[in-house]
Amino acid sequence: MFNGLANAQSPKKETLSFYKSVSKLDTNEIKEGKHLEFARTFSVEEFIVYYLVNGKYRDTKKYRLETILPLHKDSSETYFVRKYYYGVLDFFKVNTKDLNEIHYEGLNGDTLRNKFIAEIVPESDKKKVERRSKGQMMFIENPNFAYFYNRITKRIIFKYKWKLNGDLGIRIINKTYKAEYDIATKQFINPGIN
């Protein structure tokens, strides 16, 4: 019984151990090619999703300004840190060749989320929410974005669940929208509603 419990907790312990070890790394030493063995490996698909969620620059309540920076590059891997004022939050590497196939620096998660809502969420749904929200004192909103990068098409699939409840649990809206973002044209295409 204890054996199963210990095994179930080991990934959490490994994760905590990883974050404790990378938080102490010196970014200048990483630039020089030191400590590279500590980097987690991300596929380009994982990296794009991570980059959209965390952004090149992000202001959070917990850490204030966070940044994702490439610090070291060789022929096979590009090494990134996600850091804040006091140190490193995450350290990972992505295959350099795969990374060179996309222009990730131009991807801004906040800008793309706003563009998605402006272009993909139908005006009729926005007006319905505005109409149904009148007279409501309190709202429980659960906006949720999910992303999937398709390296063959070089498109990012966006899914947005807009769930908004008002007073006494009155449902105002509960819909999921999706579209593909073409990185080359910088446009959303193939919109749909689930």
Side-chain angles (χ1 to χ4, degrees):
M1 182 183 247
F2 283 24
N3 202 6
L5 182 60
N7 288 338
Q9 290 181 350
S10 66
K12 184 177 180 180
K13 286 181 182 179
E14 289 172 16
T15 302
L16 288 173
S17 175
F18 169 78
Y19 285 111
K20 283 181 182 179
S21 64
V22 300
S23 68
K24 298 172 185 169
L25 296 177
D26 183 326
T27 55
N28 289 322
E29 290 179 357
I30 294 171
K31 285 179 187 177
E32 295 169 3
K34 297 177 183 173
H35 314 298
L36 302 181
E37 68 277 6
F38 288 104
R40 298 188 298 151
T41 302
F42 278 12
S43 67
V44 71
E45 293 88 351
E46 291 169 320
F47 172 73
I48 293 298
V49 170
Y50 187 89
Y51 198 78
L52 286 171
V53 170
N54 294 293
K56 182 175 182 176
Y57 301 103
R58 184 171 85 156
D59 192 6
T60 66
K61 289 180 183 179
K62 185 173 182 177
Y63 297 114
R64 297 304 306 160
L65 183 63
E66 295 177 26
T67 58
I68 296 176
L69 302 168
L71 289 186
H72 183 77
K73 185 177 184 176
D74 59 34
S75 61
S76 62
E77 305 288 342
T78 302
Y79 295 83
F80 292 86
V81 295
R82 188 172 119 234
K83 62 179 253 156
Y84 72 123
Y85 183 76
Y86 294 105
V88 175
L89 293 166
D90 203 354
F91 182 39
F92 54 93
K93 62 184 176 180
V94 183
N95 181 286
T96 299
K97 181 182 172 205
D98 293 343
L99 206 53
N100 288 339
E101 293 177 5
I102 55 170
H103 180 68
Y104 71 89
E105 298 93 346
L107 299 174
N108 180 305
D110 288 335
T111 302
L112 291 176
R113 286 184 285 274
N114 289 334
K115 180 179 174 70
F116 182 96
I117 291 169
E119 295 178 9
I120 303 303
V121 176
E123 287 301 317
S124 59
D125 285 351
K126 293 175 189 172
K127 288 179 182 175
K128 180 169 101 175
V129 167
E130 186 179 327
R131 195 174 55 252
R132 287 185 172 179
S133 298
K134 286 184 181 174
Q136 298 288 322
M137 300 296 288
M138 184 174 66
F139 298 99
I140 299 172
E141 185 170 18
N142 185 16
N144 187 4
F145 275 93
Y147 317 94
F148 307 94
Y149 175 63
N150 184 330
R151 73 188 294 177
I152 295 168
T153 62
K154 299 200 181 352
R155 293 180 182 161
I156 304 165
I157 300 166
F158 275 66
K159 286 188 178 181
Y160 171 61
K161 182 174 178 126
W162 191 13
K163 184 176 181 181
L164 180 63
N165 292 327
D167 296 335
L168 304 172
I170 296 171
R171 175 153 301 146
I172 295 173
I173 194 161
N174 186 9
K175 285 190 178 180
T176 302
Y177 310 90
K178 65 180 182 174
E180 295 177 43
Y181 181 75
D182 188 309
I183 295 174
T185 64
K186 299 182 181 180
Q187 297 297 318
F188 280 107
I189 58 172
N190 303 325
I193 299 174
N194 289 350

